[in-house]
Amino acid sequence: MSKLYIVPTPIGNLKDITFRAIEVLKEADLILAEDTRTSGKLLKHFEISTHMQSHHMHNEHKTVQSIIQKLKAGTTVALVSDAGTPAISDPGFLLSRACIENNIEIECLPGATAFVPALVNSGLPNDKFVFEGFLPVKKGRQTRLTLLAEETRTMIFYESPHKLIKTLGHFCEYFGEDRQVSVSRELTKMFEETIRGTAKEVLDYYTNKPPKGEIVIIAAGKK
């Protein structure tokens, strides 16, 4: 029986990969990739020739058991997502749980995760925080925002650029226009920026300057 390695990959800047991550990806028998085309660019850059297999949110329910059988047969498997740490708003949880249920060893390497620099950059309290990831798109969104309006810890959200205006508008509605927020965009990349202010101020900024790229929103808790 072999081991599952969970390997974080850069969220933008390729220099953020660790020496250990490169070593594991080179020595693994199989790499499970969220998108083999995206991961293929990373592997080519670091001259890694390990075989890849697709493992994403649309097929992970079907592929978990076959991967477990490979692990039991002695295959060393490395799991990567398109960017950041697998299982953080990305595929990975189902496979990790199945490994634990089958007494297969798991080792998660430390590495890039978008919300950590966004949280530290925000200037908001980070001694206690809650990671919310992506809010529900439709069903359950209002209920979730109503509940979070009473949350006293700093909150972390992931959001797509075309939904940022809508989400900031909901923050104004449910949290109040004066709630402090910080929006980090394109972290580690050439056009990285962090905009801080009240929910209304940040909403006005991005209403006049439509956002692009990957986004992390940090919102202050209720005082």
Side-chain angles (χ1 to χ4, degrees), residues 7 9 25 30-43 50-57 59-60 63 67 77-83 86 91 95:
V7 184
T9 54
L25 292 176
L30 174 66
I31 295 174
L32 301 176
E34 186 178 3
D35 186 327
T36 54
R37 294 166 299 180
T38 300
S39 296
K41 296 175 184 177
L42 178 74
L43 300 191
T50 307
H51 177 67
M52 283 190 294
Q53 176 182 321
S54 179
H55 182 78
H56 50 73
M57 63 179 294
N59 74 357
E60 60 178 334
T63 60
I67 296 167
V77 177
L79 172 67
V80 300
S81 61
D82 288 347
L95 181 56

Side-chain angles (χ1 to χ4, degrees), residues 4 54 64 93:
L4 171 68
S54 179
V64 164
F93 164 69

Side-chain angles (χ1 to χ4, degrees), residues 8-18 42 46 82-84 112 188:
T9 54
I11 60 175
N13 192 323
L14 292 180
K15 294 179 182 178
D16 290 335
I17 198 165
T18 66
L42 178 74
F46 291 105
D82 288 347
T188 79

